[in-house]
Amino acid sequence: MTEVGNIVTLENGQEYLVLEELTKDNSRYVYSVRILQDDTPTDEYLIFEAINNDGDEYLKPVEDKAKYDTLIEDFKDIIADKIINFANEDNDTEEEV
């Protein structure tokens, strides 16, 4: 199973670092960035649908623009929530000192 923080290699040899995941409409999606051989991130971001087939998981790029646009907004919300939660945890730690 593809998890956040994992690097996946596609059939074409390109590697992607999984940044975030979400489940929507009974499908699981992952937001990822393509990385170079030395693990340097590029500016190429993609959303993949994770498809299970006979116990194996495959990543299929989301090509429908409307679906992609909706998913990117969902991922933005998830990431914004994490940033806010991190900032709040950081403030709580500073107050305890």
Side-chain angles (χ1 to χ4, degrees), residues 3 31 41 46 63 71-72 78-79 81 91:
E3 296 179 3
Y31 180 62
L46 280 179
E63 295 176 351
L71 289 168
I72 199 71
I78 291 170
I79 293 167
D81 288 344
N91 285 339

Side-chain angles (χ1 to χ4, degrees), residues 88-97:
N88 288 339
E89 288 175 8
D90 192 42
N91 285 339
D92 290 344
T93 304
E94 289 176 4
E95 290 174 8
E96 291 175 6
V97 175

Side-chain angles (χ1 to χ4, degrees), residues 1-2 26-28 49-60:
M1 178 177 217
T2 305
N26 296 321
S27 294
R28 194 167 78 82
E49 181 177 2
I51 300 170
N52 286 308
N53 187 6
D54 295 330
D56 292 326
E57 186 172 71
Y58 301 93
L59 296 180
K60 176 184 172 187

Side-chain angles (χ1 to χ4, degrees), residues 8-90:
V8 295
T9 304
L10 304 183
E11 289 179 356
N12 64 7
Q14 291 183 338
E15 293 185 324
Y16 284 82
L17 172 64
V18 177
L19 301 173
E20 194 56 71
E21 65 182 347
L22 69 83
T23 301
K24 183 174 186 165
D25 301 327
N26 296 321
S27 294
R28 194 167 78 82
Y29 299 94
V30 295
Y31 180 62
S32 60
V33 61
R34 189 170 75 81
I35 58 172
L36 303 176
Q37 286 183 339
D38 64 356
D39 294 341
T40 303
T42 66
D43 61 352
E44 295 177 43
Y45 294 85
L46 280 179
I47 297 174
F48 294 97
E49 181 177 2
I51 300 170
N52 286 308
N53 187 6
D54 295 330
D56 292 326
E57 186 172 71
Y58 301 93
L59 296 180
K60 176 184 172 187
V62 174
E63 295 176 351
D64 178 275
K65 180 163 175 31
K67 185 178 209 176
Y68 191 96
D69 290 346
T70 299
L71 289 168
I72 199 71
E73 291 302 318
D74 292 340
F75 278 115
K76 285 180 184 178
D77 290 343
I78 291 170
I79 293 167
D81 288 344
K82 286 187 175 187
I83 291 170
I84 290 168
N85 289 339
F86 179 76
N88 288 339
E89 288 175 8
D90 192 42

